Amino acid sequence: RTDGAPDRSGKSPLVSASATVEVRPGALSTVEVVVPTERGASVRGRITAGGSPVREANAWLELDGGPTVSSRTDEDGRFELPVPGAGAGTLRCNAEWGRGGVIVERRIQVGGGVNELQTIELPSGSLRGVIVDRSVELDLFDATPNVFSDGATEGDPALRVCTGAMNGRCEIPYLADGAYVVALVRRSGEWITSAPFELRGGAGTDEVELVLE
């Protein structure tokens, strides 16, 4: 039997077989175990952003009335999801696990054998920010740049989280066109400072300054 879907490293599921044997003292027993190699259907696809492949993107397929299988893309942005057989389901993809971001969703019909999908394009906009610290009193150890929807205020949920701001700079990719707010947020949820920005035509922003007075 196949033991589940690929894990998030993109590795294929193990195929295993079992047999019942009787072992007698002093006797040498030979056991032949036949491992089935036939696979069910599979879904193959490619994830890109701005025409370039997205490595380590996430793809998961929730089959109607069935299991959910998941995988990650390889260096060329390609993934493969093994499924038990034909049917319908919802495929979802995004670029960064656990950091929010736009999830591209597509309803698909799975036939027998290998199902090749059209390329899935993620939003290609990005925010580049820089923290300008003019204060000697603020401790930024627990502060993180977060992206919010336009008009958001302190306490609203973030759309995206930047997990690191090296040398006071950060970049948050895979944003769709639209108006946003970027804020420097403490772990407590307190906003230290914020600034609006806008994306148009999939282009990245110039550096948005978060100024600490």
Side-chain angles (χ1 to χ4, degrees), residues 197-213:
F197 71 99
E198 189 170 2
L199 292 176
R200 285 287 179 266
T205 66
D206 294 330
E207 285 190 338
V208 176
E209 288 191 350
L210 294 173
V211 181
L212 307 179
E213 299 290 354

Side-chain angles (χ1 to χ4, degrees), residues 65-134:
T68 297
V69 294
S70 63
S71 184
R72 282 191 171 182
T73 57
D74 61 17
E75 296 285 344
D76 195 37
R78 300 185 184 278
F79 65 88
E80 182 172 3
L81 300 168
V83 294
T90 301
L91 177 70
R92 296 180 175 90
C93 304
N94 80 344
E96 298 171 299
W97 196 272
R99 294 180 61 186
V102 174
I103 296 176
V104 175
E105 185 174 300
R106 181 183 296 180
R107 287 288 297 175
I108 65 171
Q109 185 69 39
V110 180
V114 177
N115 297 260
E116 295 281 356
L117 302 179
Q118 293 182 344
T119 297
I120 299 164
E121 182 74 8
L122 296 179
S124 57
S126 64
L127 162 71
R128 291 183 293 274
V130 57
I131 301 170
V132 180
D133 190 356
R134 297 175 182 164

